Amino acid sequence: MEPHERLRTARFNAGFKTATAAAKSLGVNVSTYSSHENGSRAFGHEEAAHYARRFKTSPQFLLYGEGRSPENSKPDADDLKHSLLGEMASNSDRPQTDKLDLELFLKSFEEGIRLEEQILDGRGSIRDLSIIVENIYNAAKKKKTDK
């Protein structure tokens, strides 16, 4: 497996559905991150260390396939918040004028975690949680604007 393939695997296992969501959560240029992940541009130790921190792995794994693989790691609540926030903020269906309400998102996230545990016994995927949170957020946002 090549470094860019390990990077993609680490990103996916960390709960980021898209390279764009990961890049935004990492605070790096989307084009740069995408180039690293698709293999058209190599990344060095500094970038690997930055990516490894967010993806709960090691720079050695990303660069050389050595050390801790992210496959058995489960993201914690903060990682999930960052991942879902990045996805919702980068949603291309969202009108440019519709800014993400952070306070409402955090409340929606907490409610989504509670519902996911109640409905799916805590065994839902990150995708399941993402769908739950986005639906709660959109309903709450609509209710807030209808007042």
Side-chain angles (χ1 to χ4, degrees), residues 48-49 52-53 55-63 66-70:
R53 275 190 299 278
F55 298 155
K56 303 289 189 216
T57 189
S58 69
Q60 291 77 19
F61 172 77
L62 293 176
L63 292 169
E66 300 169 353
R68 187 173 49 140
S69 166

Side-chain angles (χ1 to χ4, degrees), residues 57-129:
T57 189
S58 69
Q60 291 77 19
F61 172 77
L62 293 176
L63 292 169
Y64 314 112
E66 300 169 353
R68 187 173 49 140
S69 166
E71 293 175 45
N72 295 325
S73 65
K74 183 170 170 100
D76 63 15
D78 285 339
D79 292 335
L80 289 171
K81 281 181 201 172
H82 285 284
S83 176
L84 295 176
L85 186 57
E87 288 177 28
M88 288 177 70
S90 66
N91 184 348
S92 60
D93 296 334
R94 186 178 304 285
Q96 201 61 10
T97 56
D98 183 16
K99 301 291 183 206
L100 192 65
D101 181 331
L102 186 58
E103 183 179 338
L104 190 59
F105 168 79
L106 293 173
K107 287 178 182 176
S108 300
F109 179 81
E110 295 301 325
E111 180 67 11
I113 290 283
R114 190 186 66 69
L115 279 174
E116 188 271 342
E117 288 174 356
Q118 187 178 31
I119 296 167
L120 302 171
D121 245 3
R123 287 181 269 218
S125 68
I126 293 169
R127 173 132 175 78
D128 295 330
L129 182 60

Side-chain angles (χ1 to χ4, degrees), residues 18-74:
T18 65
T20 299
K24 289 185 179 199
S25 176
L26 287 158
V28 298
N29 181 286
V30 173
S31 178
T32 299
Y33 178 81
S34 294
S35 295
H36 290 162
E37 191 174 292
N38 69 28
S40 64
R41 182 174 171 196
F43 57 94
H45 196 280
E46 189 174 314
E47 292 97 349
H50 183 64
Y51 299 155
R53 275 190 299 278
R54 169 64 71 213
F55 298 155
K56 303 289 189 216
T57 189
S58 69
Q60 291 77 19
F61 172 77
L62 293 176
L63 292 169
Y64 314 112
E66 300 169 353
R68 187 173 49 140
S69 166
E71 293 175 45
N72 295 325
S73 65
K74 183 170 170 100

